[in-house]
C-alpha cells in the first residue's frame, strides 16, 4: 500500500499537455490566443488533472508552493489584477486562467514526483514522438508537410516546426549528457532536429540555436578545454579575422548596405524582417496609449475587431495574433509596471541559475540553455507569458525545477582556503 502511495504520479498529464501544444487543431477563429472552445475544454481537463495530482499529494503542497519563485507570484497577481481595466474582461479572464493553469501544471510535476521529476525527462520523449510524427507525415503527405516556405511536418507553420526542431536538438543532447544513457535514441533525435531545422528554414529558430552555442556551449567548452585546445581555438579565430581583413584590403570592404543585402539573401528575408518592423512600429503606437499599466493582459489581440483588427488591416499579411516580439506584447498588455515585474522575475531566475551552476554545472547549463532559447525566441515570436504555448510551459517547468533544486540541496561547504577552515580545532578528549 505504501509503495503505491509513494509512486510518482502525474507525468502522463504532462506528456499529453506537451504533445497537445504541438497539434495544430483548434487554434481558434482568427487566431484567438486561447484557442477554440474545444481546445479550451481540453486545456481545462489538463489543468483539472494537474489539480488532482496536487490534491493527491497534500504532504507535498509546501514543496510545490516553495518551488514557485516569489517574484513570479507578484507578477501573476498583477496579471490577474489587469483584468479589471481590460477592454474585454472575460477574454482576459480566460487567458489569465491559462497562465495560472500552466503554473499549476508545473507545480503538479514537483508534487507528483515528490521532487524527482526532471524537465529533460518529461519533455524529451514527447519531442521524440513529435519529430517521428513529423517525419511520417512528411513521407505520406508531402504536399502538406513541405510548404512553399519550408518544411512544417504536421504543424501549422514552418516556424512551429523549426521551434520543435531546435528543442529536439537541445533536449536530445542534454538528455544524453545528463543521463549518460539512451544514446542510440536521443543522439538520432538531435540529428533529426538539426536536419529538420535546416528544412524548416526558420531563421528565428536558427538564431536561437546559435545563441545557445555562443552563450552556453562555446564558453563552457573553452573553460573546460585543455590549454592546447584553447590556444588552437584562439589561433583559428585570429586566422579568420586576419583573413577577413586581408580580403577587405584586397577586394575592398563591403558597405553596411551591401552587408545587409548579403545577409538577407542568405536568410531569404528582407529588411522588414518579413513585415515585422512595420508591425513593431504599429505596436509602439498602441503602447503609447497606455504606457504605465497596459491595456490589460490578453485584452489586445481580439481577432479582427478593435485595434488588433485595425493592425491586421494595416500590415496586409493576415491576422498577426501577436506582436511577433514578446517584449512588445508584454509592454502593451501589462505596461511598464508589468514589464518591470517580468524583468524582476527573469533576474531572480538568472540568480537561481547562477546558484545552481555552482552546485551542478551540467544541470545549470541545461536550464540556462532553456532560458537563452526562450529569451531569444521572444524577440521574434511571443514566448514569455504566452498562455499555453509550448515555450512557456517548458520555461515554467524549468524555472520551478531550478527553484526546487535550490530549496532541497544545501549549499556546498566552504573551500579549504576560507578563514574558518584555517582556524585551529580543539581535539576531543
Amino acid at each position: 500500500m505504501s509503495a503505491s502511495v509513494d509512486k510518482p504520479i502525474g507525468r502522463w498529464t504532462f506528456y499529453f499537455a506537451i504533445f497537445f501544444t504541438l497539434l495544430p487543431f483548434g487554434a481558434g477563429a482568427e487566431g484567438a490566443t486561447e484557442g477554440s472552445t474545444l481546445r479550451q475544454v481540453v486545456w481545462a481537463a489538463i489543468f483539472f488533472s494537474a489539480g488532482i495530482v496536487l490534491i493527491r499529494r497534500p504532504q507535498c503542497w509546501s514543496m510545490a508552493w516553495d518551488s514557485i519563485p516569489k517574484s513570479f507570484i507578484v507578477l501573476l497577481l498583477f496579471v490577474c489584477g489587469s483584468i479589471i481595466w481590460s477592454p474585454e474582461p472575460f477574454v482576459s479572464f480566460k487567458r489569465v486562467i491559462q497562465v495560472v493553469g500552466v503554473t499549476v501544471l508545473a507545480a503538479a510535476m514537483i508534487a507528483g514526483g515528490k521532487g524527482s521529476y526532471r524537465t529533460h525527462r518529461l519533455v524529451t520523449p514527447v519531442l521524440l514522438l513529435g519529430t517521428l510524427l513529423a517525419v511520417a507525415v512528411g513521407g505520406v503527405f508531402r504536399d502538406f508537410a513541405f510548404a512553399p516556405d519550408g518544411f512544417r511536418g504536421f504543424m501549422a507553420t514552418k516556424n512551429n516546426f523549426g521551434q520543435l526542431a531546435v528543442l529536439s536538438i537541445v533536449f536530445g543532447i542534454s538528455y544524453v549528457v545528463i543521463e549518460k544513457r539512451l544514446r542510440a535514441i536521443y543522439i538520432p533525435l538531435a540529428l533529426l532536429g538539426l536536419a529538420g531545422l535546416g528544412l524548416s528554414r526558420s531563421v528565428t529558430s536558427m538564431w536561437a540555436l546559435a545563441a545557445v552555442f555562443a552563450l552556453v556551449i562555446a564558453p563552457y567548452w573553452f573553460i573546460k578545454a585543455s590549454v592546447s585546445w584553447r590556444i588552437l581555438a584562439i589561433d583559428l579565430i585570429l586566422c579568420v579575422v586576419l583573413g577577413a581583413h586581408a580580403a577587405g584590403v584586397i577586394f575592398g570592404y563591403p558597405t553596411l548596405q551591401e552587408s545587409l543585402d548579403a545577409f538577407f539573401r542568405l536568410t531569404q528575408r528582407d529588411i522588414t524582417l518579413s513585415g515585422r518592423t512595420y508591425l513593431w512600429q504599429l505596436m509602439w503606437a498602441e503602447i503609447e496609449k497606455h504606457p504605465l499599466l497596459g491595456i490589460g493582459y490578453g485584452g489586445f489581440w481580439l481577432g479582427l475587431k478593435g485595434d488588433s483588427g485595425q493592425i491586421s488591416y494595416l500590415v496586409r499579411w493576415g491576422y498577426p495574433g501577436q506582436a511577433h516580439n514578446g517584449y512588445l506584447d508584454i509592454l502593451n498588455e501589462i505596461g511598464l509596471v508589468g514589464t518591470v515585474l517580468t524583468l524582476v522575475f527573469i533576474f531572480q531566475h538568472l540568480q537561481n541559475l547562477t546558484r545552481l551552476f555552482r552546485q551542478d554545472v551540467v544541470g545549470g547549463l541545461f536550464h540556462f540553455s532553456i532560458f537563452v532559447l526562450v529569451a531569444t525566441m521572444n524577440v521574434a515570436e511571443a514566448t514569455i507569458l504566452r498562455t499555453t504555448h509550448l515555450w512557456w510551459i517548458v520555461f515554467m517547468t524549468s524555472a520551478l525545477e531550478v527553484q526546487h533544486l535550490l530549496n532541497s540541496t544545501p549549499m556546498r561547504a566552504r573551500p579549504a582556503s576560507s578563514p574558518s577552515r584555517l582556524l585551529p580545532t580543539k581535539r576531543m578528549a
Side-chain angles (χ1 to χ4, degrees), residues 178-199:
I178 296 173
E179 298 290 335
K180 295 181 174 57
R181 61 190 181 92
L182 299 179
R183 292 179 175 86
I185 297 177
Y186 290 123
I187 289 179
L189 171 63
L191 295 176
L192 283 174
L194 188 61
L197 182 60
L199 290 173

Side-chain angles (χ1 to χ4, degrees), residues 287 323-333 339 342-343 346 371 374-384:
I287 291 170
H324 286 277
N325 183 305
Y327 302 105
L328 289 181
D329 269 331
I330 292 172
L331 192 56
N332 182 45
E333 295 193 351
T339 301
T342 303
L343 292 176
I346 291 174
F371 170 76
V374 170
T376 305
M377 292 294 303
N378 202 51
V379 175
E381 302 285 341
T383 56
I384 298 176

Side-chain angles (χ1 to χ4, degrees), residues 365-393:
L365 287 174
F366 167 67
H367 289 285
F368 184 58
S369 297
I370 293 177
F371 170 76
V372 171
L373 286 174
V374 170
T376 305
M377 292 294 303
N378 202 51
V379 175
E381 302 285 341
T383 56
I384 298 176
L385 280 178
R386 183 82 186 279
T387 60
T388 54
H389 195 277
L390 171 63
W391 287 104
W392 181 240
I393 295 176

Side-chain angles (χ1 to χ4, degrees), residues 213-214 216-235 237:
F213 178 81
V216 182
I217 298 176
Y220 178 70
W221 176 85
F222 190 80
I223 292 173
K224 290 295 183 179
S226 62
V227 176
S228 58
W229 279 106
R230 291 183 193 178
I231 294 174
L232 178 61
I234 294 173
D235 288 343
I237 294 173

